[in-house]
Amino acid sequence: MSLPQAGRAATMPGMTVTSRHVRVAGVEDARAIAEVHVASWLAAYRGIIDDDVLDGLSVDARAARWVENLTDPEADATTLL
């Protein structure tokens, strides 16, 4: 899907996007990012990656890592939401 020009809707089968809001992630987003991160791994990799690995994923641990990522003054990446 390519992004449309300003003021025009983007379309995909079954979806129309008429507006977008993108912002830089902050520390307050760390837990929500971690929840999506863990849930997506569980959904995508069950049956592919060993269950012990997936069962060991922790939202708390992942959130702590995201806090580190989002507050690292030397990070060479920006996380957008």
Side-chain angles (χ1 to χ4, degrees):
M1 174 183 83
S2 63
L3 294 177
Q5 296 175 345
R8 303 188 89 178
T11 59
M12 290 180 61
M15 182 180 87
T16 300
V17 177
T18 57
S19 66
R20 307 170 273 298
H21 178 75
V22 177
R23 65 178 175 82
V24 175
V27 172
E28 66 278 5
D29 299 305
R31 181 149 192 98
I33 295 170
E35 289 170 354
V36 170
H37 190 158
V38 170
S40 64
W41 268 66
L42 294 175
Y45 296 116
R46 187 68 71 187
I48 299 171
I49 294 178
D50 191 277
D51 283 348
D52 289 339
V53 172
L54 296 175
D55 293 340
L57 295 176
S58 162
V59 170
D60 290 337
R62 195 56 20 206
R65 182 69 180 138
W66 274 106
V67 168
E68 291 176 17
N69 291 343
L70 295 169
T71 60
D72 181 356
E74 297 185 22
D76 60 355
T78 300
T79 301
L80 301 175
L81 302 175

